[in-house]
Amino acid sequence: MSVFHYYVVAAILFSIGAGGFLLRRNLLVMFMSVELMLNAANLCLVAASSSFDLARGSSFALVSIAVAAAEVGVGLAIIIAWFRLRPSVDAGDLQELRG
Amino acid sequence: MDPELATTIAFYVFALLAIAGSVGVVANKNPVASAMCLVATFVAVAGLYLTLSATFLAAVQILVYAGAIMVLFLFVIMLLNLSHETFEGISVRRTMGGAIAFAFIFISIGLLWGTGPKPGEAMSVRPGTGLEIGRTFLKDYVFPFEMASLLLLVAMIGAIVLARRPKLVGGDR
């Protein structure tokens, strides 16, 4: 397998994630799409790291997994706090900051 | 069986599973079903890491993503009682968003074309093991490693503060 095959899979995963983020209005599903994009980026990092024979890319992927875990914790807490205010997870209802 | 052939077969199986799972995440009306498809995608990506011989990352992917993050997602879905079907229909703007995302597949493949080792060249099989990653972190990247742990601590405190009941914080709602 050449590294390019992995890049193609990562590109497809990233695009599906980006499409889900743009198409869906459910906050939780949008959040899952962000996770898909993060996974695609990680896959790219690991593939590049093993094609260049360096452990650095894999280490960056590990840091990125840690950041993703932190992001999910804070993001879901924000969704819960928002849900207390307005019982809806539709992104179209997030208009509090509109003047 | 020839190990090269086995790796190729495993790559295609996991790649197809990952793509099918990610389509399921986006296309499912029920958030719980989306979350289950997301688990399938994470497991498939872990399998792709294994075909790259990044064994440690595959284990971390299963533990952190499929274990911790998905449990958190399902907890929130169940807690907010969101397991009913929600689909918002299609508007012109969302169709444009989908078209942009679809175009992005080809844009990114075009940008990546010809980068890295030449296609067909065999991939080397060393990095990504726990030994190599540990060496990298504890020799060259000690500071980012510590920063990651600090970030996780801050995120933990932040999540607790954010998800607390508003009246305990002293808000007026």
Side-chain angles (χ1 to χ4, degrees), chain A residues 4-90:
Chain A
F4 187 68
H5 289 86
Y6 289 91
Y7 288 166
V8 170
V9 174
I12 293 173
L13 279 185
F14 189 93
S15 305
I16 292 172
F21 189 79
L22 291 170
L23 282 166
R24 297 300 302 269
R25 278 287 153 266
N26 187 320
L27 280 178
L28 283 159
V29 178
M30 286 168 77
F31 210 30
M32 291 182 204
S33 306
V34 172
E35 294 304 310
L36 278 182
M37 290 194 269
L38 276 169
N39 254 276
N42 275 346
L43 183 59
C44 233
L45 272 175
V46 176
S49 135
S50 76
S51 74
F52 290 114
D53 221 355
L54 286 168
R56 279 181 202 166
S58 302
S59 314
F60 291 165
L62 200 61
V63 171
S64 135
I65 288 177
V67 172
E71 175 241 342
V72 165
V74 174
L76 289 177
I78 290 175
I79 290 180
I80 289 180
W82 164 251
F83 198 79
R84 285 227 177 83
L85 238 52
R86 299 251 186 296
S88 148
V89 283
D90 193 311

Side-chain angles (χ1 to χ4, degrees), chain A residues 1 6 23-24 39 50 84, chain B residues 42 51 61 94 123-124:
Chain A
M1 294 314 300
Y6 289 91
L23 282 166
R24 297 300 302 269
N39 254 276
S50 76
R84 285 227 177 83
Chain B
F42 287 159
T51 64
Q61 168 90 3
R94 287 201 207 115
M123 305 206 31
S124 55

Side-chain angles (χ1 to χ4, degrees), chain B residues 87-138:
Chain B
F87 194 67
E88 310 83 9
I90 297 292
S91 72
V92 178
R93 269 159 67 186
R94 287 201 207 115
T95 315
M96 275 170 59
I100 291 170
F102 191 66
F104 194 77
I105 296 180
F106 299 103
I107 294 169
S108 45
I109 290 174
L111 286 176
L112 291 166
W113 190 270
T115 57
K118 290 185 198 73
E121 204 169 297
M123 305 206 31
S124 55
V125 279
R126 197 173 53 92
T129 58
L131 181 70
E132 278 293 314
I133 289 180
R135 208 169 262 157
T136 319
F137 268 131
L138 295 178

Side-chain angles (χ1 to χ4, degrees), chain B residues 119-165:
Chain B
E121 204 169 297
M123 305 206 31
S124 55
V125 279
R126 197 173 53 92
T129 58
L131 181 70
E132 278 293 314
I133 289 180
R135 208 169 262 157
T136 319
F137 268 131
L138 295 178
K139 269 185 172 170
D140 305 332
Y141 296 108
V142 178
F143 186 67
F145 185 63
E146 293 298 327
M147 280 299 108
S149 61
L150 188 65
L151 176 78
L152 284 170
L153 178 68
V154 170
M156 195 168 71
I157 297 171
I160 292 170
V161 170
L162 277 170
R164 215 152 55 143
R165 287 192 179 283

